[in-house]
C-alpha cells in the first residue's frame, strides 16, 4: 500500500496485479509505504477503511481517494497458479506442483478450496465491512497504460514501470466447464473487473 499525502491518494495493492512494479516506480514519491510483509503491503480496502483512513485524517490527509488494479479473474488465477508452481514452493502445502490449471481453478471455485487454491477474493479486497465498494478509481490490469497516465497526472511525474516479480510460464488451459463453474461461483469477480473498464 502506498500513501501520497499531498496528492490525497492511496494505492491499495491487490496481489498479482503488478503491484511490485508499481511500488518500485512510485515509492520515491510516497509519504507512506507499507511493503515486504504481505499483510501490510496488501492491506485490503476494509482494513484501510476501518483503521488507516482515520489515522491519515488525524495526520491531515483528509478524505484521500483510493486507487486499485483489478485483473481479469482467469488471468489473476493464472498468475497465482504460476507463482505457486515456483521451485521454491516445492513440497509446500500451497504449492501447485503436479496440479493442472484446470484443477486449480476448479478447486478455487469449490465450496472448500484446498491450500493451493486459497488465494483470496478480490471483491472482498475492494469493499469496506458493509460490502460497499470503497475504491474511487479502479483500473483494469489489462489497461495499465491508463493507470500509469492517471498516476502520472495526479503525481505530476513521468512513470516508467520496471518488470518485477514475473512468475514462470505454465500451461493455463482451462476447460469450458471449469470456466463456467468459476463464472457461476464468483460472478462478482467478473462484474467488478468489467466495472473497472475505462
Amino acid at each position: 500500500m502506498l500513501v501520497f499525502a499531498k496528492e490525497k491518494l492511496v494505492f491499495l495493492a491487490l496481489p498479482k496485479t503488478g503491484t511490485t512494479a508499481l511500488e518500485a516506480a512510485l515509492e520515491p514519491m510516497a509519504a507512506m509505504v507499507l511493503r515486504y510483509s504481505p499483510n501490510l503491503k496488501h492491506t485490503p480496502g476494509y482494513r484501510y477503511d476501518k483503521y488507516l483512513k482515520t489515522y491519515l485524517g488525524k495526520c491531515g490527509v483528509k478524505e484521500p481517494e483510493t486507487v486499485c488494479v483489478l485483473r481479469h479473474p482467469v488471468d489473476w488465477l493464472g498468475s497465482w497458479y504460476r507463482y505457486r508452481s515456483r521451485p521454491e514452493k516445492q513440497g509446500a502445502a500451497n504449492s501447485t506442483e503436479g496440479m493442472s490449471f484446470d484443477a486449480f481453478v476448479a478447486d478455487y471455485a469449490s465450496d472448500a478450496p484446498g491450500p493451493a487454491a486459497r488465494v483470496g477474493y478480490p471483491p472482498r479486497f475492494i469493499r469496506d465491512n458493509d460490502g460497499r465498494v470503497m475504491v474511487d478509481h479502479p483500473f483494469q490490469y489489462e489497461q495499465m497504460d491508463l493507470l500509469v497516465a492517471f498516476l502520472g497526472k495526479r503525481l505530476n511525474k513521468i512513470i516508467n514501470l520496471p518488470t518485477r516479480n514475473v512468475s514462470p510460464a505454465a500451461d493455463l488451459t482451462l476447460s469450458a466447464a471449469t470456466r463456467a463453474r468459476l463464472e457461476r461461483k464468483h460472478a462478482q469477480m467478473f462484474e467488478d473487473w468489467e466495472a473497472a473498464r475505462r
Side-chain angles (χ1 to χ4, degrees):
M1 189 181 90
L2 304 173
V3 176
F4 305 95
K6 184 176 70 173
E7 297 82 3
K8 294 186 177 181
L9 190 67
V10 175
F11 179 80
L12 298 173
L14 176 65
K16 314 315 291 174
T17 59
T19 54
T20 301
L22 284 163
E23 179 186 89
L26 302 175
E27 180 182 335
M29 295 165 267
M32 178 187 289
V33 179
L34 300 183
R35 59 180 175 183
Y36 301 131
S37 169
N39 287 335
L40 292 174
K41 177 179 178 177
H42 301 298
T43 296
Y46 66 87
R47 197 172 297 145
Y48 158 76
D49 196 61
K50 184 173 182 180
Y51 300 108
L52 292 173
K53 186 175 180 181
T54 300
Y55 171 72
L56 292 177
K58 297 288 186 185
C59 295
V61 185
K62 304 291 186 183
E63 297 302 319
E65 297 175 22
T66 52
V67 60
C68 184
V69 181
L70 298 175
R71 193 169 183 170
H72 187 278
V74 174
D75 192 36
W76 181 75
L77 288 169
S79 184
W80 270 114
Y81 172 77
R82 291 183 294 119
Y83 179 74
R84 290 190 167 180
S85 72
R86 295 170 302 141
E88 302 96 297
K89 299 294 291 181
Q90 188 174 13
N94 63 357
S95 172
T96 56
E97 180 187 17
M99 175 186 284
S100 70
F101 181 56
D102 194 79
F104 173 78
V105 174
D107 193 18
Y108 182 78
S110 71
D111 291 334
R118 290 184 204 141
V119 295
Y121 185 56
R124 177 75 172 129
F125 188 92
I126 65 171
R127 287 173 163 75
D128 64 17
N129 284 328
D130 295 322
R132 175 186 60 89
V133 173
M134 50 77 55
V135 174
D136 301 300
H137 304 284
F139 282 85
Q140 287 187 345
Y141 173 88
E142 295 76 10
Q143 295 181 315
M144 190 65 72
D145 57 325
L146 300 182
L147 171 62
V148 169
F150 169 83
L151 291 171
K153 185 175 181 180
R154 285 292 297 263
L155 304 176
N156 195 27
K157 185 83 172 178
I158 295 173
I159 298 168
N160 296 303
L161 290 185
T163 301
R164 296 284 174 93
N165 201 25
V166 178
S167 298
D171 179 6
L172 299 181
T173 302
L174 189 63
S175 69
T178 300
R179 175 162 181 142
R181 179 179 180 181
L182 175 66
E183 290 175 349
R184 282 193 308 272
K185 178 74 173 180
H186 296 305
Q188 191 67 65
M189 289 174 66
F190 290 86
E191 291 170 17
D192 287 348
W193 177 79
E194 284 290 351
R197 187 186 301 277
R198 304 265 165 164

